[in-house]
Amino acid sequence: MKKKLHAGILLCCTLLALPVAAQQEESRPREIIFLWGRGEGPEEIVEIFDETQSQHFQDPQAPRFLLIDQRHRVALGIGGYVKMTVSDDFKGISESVDFIPFDIPVPNNGVDNGQFQMDVFTSRLFLKLVGNNRVLGNYTAYIETDFRGYRHALHLRQAYVSMRGFLLGQSWSTFSDVAAMPPTIDFQGPNGNTDLRNVQLRYTFGMGKHWKAALALEAPGVSYTLAGRTGSLRQRMPDIPLWLQFGWGKSSHIRASALFRGLSYRNEVLHRNRMCMGWGVQLSGVAELGRPVTFYYQGTYGKGIARYVADLSDNNLDLVPDPEKPGHLQALPVLAAVGGLQWNISSKFFTSANYSFVRIRHENAYAPAAQYKLGQYICGNLFCHLTPDCMIGVEYLHGIRENDNTRRGHANRIQASVQYNF
């Protein structure tokens, strides 16, 4: 009898609570997320994905799968690609899975001068949130990874938020004109590229129909060669890149860029902290030469900018000792250039070729790595879109490294890739 009584009381309480629960549910704001499965999605959201897509050839395309809120104001895209590359080196090698002229042995190793490699670790995975509201306007939050971390763990490539012209987080450096980089299978790309990804605060703004400009503060980082009573220091000044760009047509532009760096080090002779100013200038762009042909170009010169140049990054060449001034470091002059042509044979096939070089001058400087004087990179490739999402390619690479003593090393590579975007 007691059990029946308790059950009756519980049932009554439940029935009385239902209207309250329903009222609370109705008053709660509902932001329902669902997978939009039809071809006709909310155009304003899809356009934000397209407008904010990176122009770097190897960066992922806009995602196919979207989670969209009920009001069509916020969408989360999930995408990336799977890429497999097979390569064979002969008549000299670049001692890396990437083709880096700096890593070519000089002179060539007559015993170990060939290698076969397979790589899937440049595959990408990303999440991208886009939306629109009165406060932020069109905004984006983006995280991108590859599998180049320790033991092929996830490795963070980009992570940023952008809104109303501001970008906060890690992305391609403002000094890097990624749209001006010619297409390659090679993950590293032409050795004269300025292709650093950096943590930054950037502001980009338009000035009429054709002109745009950008200014940024970026995280500093210096690769030293230390000797002769010198020491490293924590950096006290951000890198400051900026550019001015004129654009025309669908995707053509010319850009003038500049970079300023304050490179701090310790002079143990004077027992003082010192700062050496680094700087760089760059002219880059893309030009459509008629409908089927595109021309890519960039030329860079500066001092203390080795960290930004693909062939010299992380090789301790931003600052090197001055043998004539004990305790002093100096910034080395660097000259780099890239030129490439792409021919769109049809809607499915395109081919491209590019040439790049990096030259570093280090008279009156001490740096073992600075035996490197000149690196050259020659590339030709052919790509085919089997489907809109599946692309295959084949590529030939030739690299030359020349040292101060005029001795040279050569390397050759043939590689092929299959890439599926999702």
PDB file of all heavy atoms in Angstrom, residues 1-11:
ATOM      1  N   MET A   1       0.824  -1.203   0.000  1.00  0.00           N
ATOM      2  CA  MET A   1       0.000   0.000   0.000  1.00  0.00           C
ATOM      3  C   MET A   1       0.869   1.269   0.000  1.00  0.00           C
ATOM      4  O   MET A   1       0.608   2.228  -0.715  1.00  0.00           O
ATOM      5  CB  MET A   1      -0.902  -0.011   1.240  1.00  0.00           C
ATOM      6  CG  MET A   1      -1.929   1.118   1.252  1.00  0.00           C
ATOM      7  SD  MET A   1      -3.195   0.860  -0.001  1.00  0.00           S
ATOM      8  CE  MET A   1      -4.196   2.308   0.282  1.00  0.00           C
ATOM      9  N   LYS A   2       1.946   1.239   0.815  1.00  0.00           N
ATOM     10  CA  LYS A   2       2.872   2.379   0.881  1.00  0.00           C
ATOM     11  C   LYS A   2       3.565   2.594  -0.461  1.00  0.00           C
ATOM     12  O   LYS A   2       3.775   3.723  -0.898  1.00  0.00           O
ATOM     13  CB  LYS A   2       3.904   2.157   1.986  1.00  0.00           C
ATOM     14  CG  LYS A   2       3.315   2.265   3.381  1.00  0.00           C
ATOM     15  CD  LYS A   2       4.410   2.124   4.415  1.00  0.00           C
ATOM     16  CE  LYS A   2       3.849   2.283   5.833  1.00  0.00           C
ATOM     17  NZ  LYS A   2       4.884   2.154   6.855  1.00  0.00           N
ATOM     18  N   LYS A   3       3.897   1.483  -1.136  1.00  0.00           N
ATOM     19  CA  LYS A   3       4.564   1.605  -2.434  1.00  0.00           C
ATOM     20  C   LYS A   3       3.644   2.279  -3.452  1.00  0.00           C
ATOM     21  O   LYS A   3       4.065   3.112  -4.248  1.00  0.00           O
ATOM     22  CB  LYS A   3       4.996   0.229  -2.938  1.00  0.00           C
ATOM     23  CG  LYS A   3       6.123  -0.391  -2.125  1.00  0.00           C
ATOM     24  CD  LYS A   3       6.555  -1.712  -2.719  1.00  0.00           C
ATOM     25  CE  LYS A   3       7.721  -2.328  -1.926  1.00  0.00           C
ATOM     26  NZ  LYS A   3       8.136  -3.626  -2.491  1.00  0.00           N
ATOM     27  N   LYS A   4       2.328   1.892  -3.417  1.00  0.00           N
ATOM     28  CA  LYS A   4       1.383   2.502  -4.341  1.00  0.00           C
ATOM     29  C   LYS A   4       1.217   3.990  -4.042  1.00  0.00           C
ATOM     30  O   LYS A   4       1.097   4.820  -4.937  1.00  0.00           O
ATOM     31  CB  LYS A   4       0.037   1.800  -4.232  1.00  0.00           C
ATOM     32  CG  LYS A   4       0.067   0.364  -4.787  1.00  0.00           C
ATOM     33  CD  LYS A   4      -1.311  -0.256  -4.710  1.00  0.00           C
ATOM     34  CE  LYS A   4      -1.306  -1.683  -5.272  1.00  0.00           C
ATOM     35  NZ  LYS A   4      -2.642  -2.313  -5.207  1.00  0.00           N
ATOM     36  N   LEU A   5       1.190   4.338  -2.748  1.00  0.00           N
ATOM     37  CA  LEU A   5       1.060   5.738  -2.359  1.00  0.00           C
ATOM     38  C   LEU A   5       2.245   6.559  -2.836  1.00  0.00           C
ATOM     39  O   LEU A   5       2.095   7.660  -3.369  1.00  0.00           O
ATOM     40  CB  LEU A   5       0.913   5.843  -0.834  1.00  0.00           C
ATOM     41  CG  LEU A   5       0.753   7.257  -0.256  1.00  0.00           C
ATOM     42  CD1 LEU A   5      -0.511   7.916  -0.828  1.00  0.00           C
ATOM     43  CD2 LEU A   5       0.695   7.196   1.259  1.00  0.00           C
ATOM     44  N   HIS A   6       3.474   6.020  -2.622  1.00  0.00           N
ATOM     45  CA  HIS A   6       4.690   6.734  -3.062  1.00  0.00           C
ATOM     46  C   HIS A   6       4.703   6.903  -4.576  1.00  0.00           C
ATOM     47  O   HIS A   6       5.083   7.957  -5.107  1.00  0.00           O
ATOM     48  CB  HIS A   6       5.925   5.954  -2.609  1.00  0.00           C
ATOM     49  CG  HIS A   6       6.112   5.989  -1.126  1.00  0.00           C
ATOM     50  ND1 HIS A   6       6.951   5.116  -0.460  1.00  0.00           N
ATOM     51  CD2 HIS A   6       5.577   6.795  -0.159  1.00  0.00           C
ATOM     52  CE1 HIS A   6       6.913   5.378   0.834  1.00  0.00           C
ATOM     53  NE2 HIS A   6       6.077   6.392   1.036  1.00  0.00           N
ATOM     54  N   ALA A   7       4.282   5.870  -5.299  1.00  0.00           N
ATOM     55  CA  ALA A   7       4.248   5.955  -6.760  1.00  0.00           C
ATOM     56  C   ALA A   7       3.259   7.017  -7.213  1.00  0.00           C
ATOM     57  O   ALA A   7       3.501   7.772  -8.165  1.00  0.00           O
ATOM     58  CB  ALA A   7       3.880   4.585  -7.354  1.00  0.00           C
ATOM     59  N   GLY A   8       2.084   7.097  -6.514  1.00  0.00           N
ATOM     60  CA  GLY A   8       1.093   8.099  -6.884  1.00  0.00           C
ATOM     61  C   GLY A   8       1.597   9.509  -6.664  1.00  0.00           C
ATOM     62  O   GLY A   8       1.374  10.415  -7.472  1.00  0.00           O
ATOM     63  N   ILE A   9       2.261   9.705  -5.516  1.00  0.00           N
ATOM     64  CA  ILE A   9       2.829  11.038  -5.226  1.00  0.00           C
ATOM     65  C   ILE A   9       3.871  11.431  -6.273  1.00  0.00           C
ATOM     66  O   ILE A   9       3.910  12.568  -6.752  1.00  0.00           O
ATOM     67  CB  ILE A   9       3.436  11.046  -3.813  1.00  0.00           C
ATOM     68  CG1 ILE A   9       2.312  10.877  -2.764  1.00  0.00           C
ATOM     69  CG2 ILE A   9       4.197  12.338  -3.568  1.00  0.00           C
ATOM     70  CD1 ILE A   9       2.828  10.701  -1.349  1.00  0.00           C
ATOM     71  N   LEU A  10       4.749  10.475  -6.648  1.00  0.00           N
ATOM     72  CA  LEU A  10       5.794  10.744  -7.646  1.00  0.00           C
ATOM     73  C   LEU A  10       5.199  11.095  -8.991  1.00  0.00           C
ATOM     74  O   LEU A  10       5.648  12.024  -9.668  1.00  0.00           O
ATOM     75  CB  LEU A  10       6.704   9.517  -7.769  1.00  0.00           C
ATOM     76  CG  LEU A  10       7.853   9.623  -8.784  1.00  0.00           C
ATOM     77  CD1 LEU A  10       8.794  10.778  -8.404  1.00  0.00           C
ATOM     78  CD2 LEU A  10       8.636   8.313  -8.854  1.00  0.00           C
ATOM     79  N   LEU A  11       4.119  10.379  -9.370  1.00  0.00           N
ATOM     80  CA  LEU A  11       3.466  10.659 -10.649  1.00  0.00           C
ATOM     81  C   LEU A  11       2.848  12.052 -10.648  1.00  0.00           C
ATOM     82  O   LEU A  11       2.951  12.801 -11.623  1.00  0.00           O
ATOM     83  CB  LEU A  11       2.396   9.588 -10.912  1.00  0.00           C
ATOM     84  CG  LEU A  11       1.572   9.753 -12.201  1.00  0.00           C
ATOM     85  CD1 LEU A  11       2.497   9.712 -13.432  1.00  0.00           C
ATOM     86  CD2 LEU A  11       0.503   8.681 -12.294  1.00  0.00           C
TER      87      LEU A  11
END
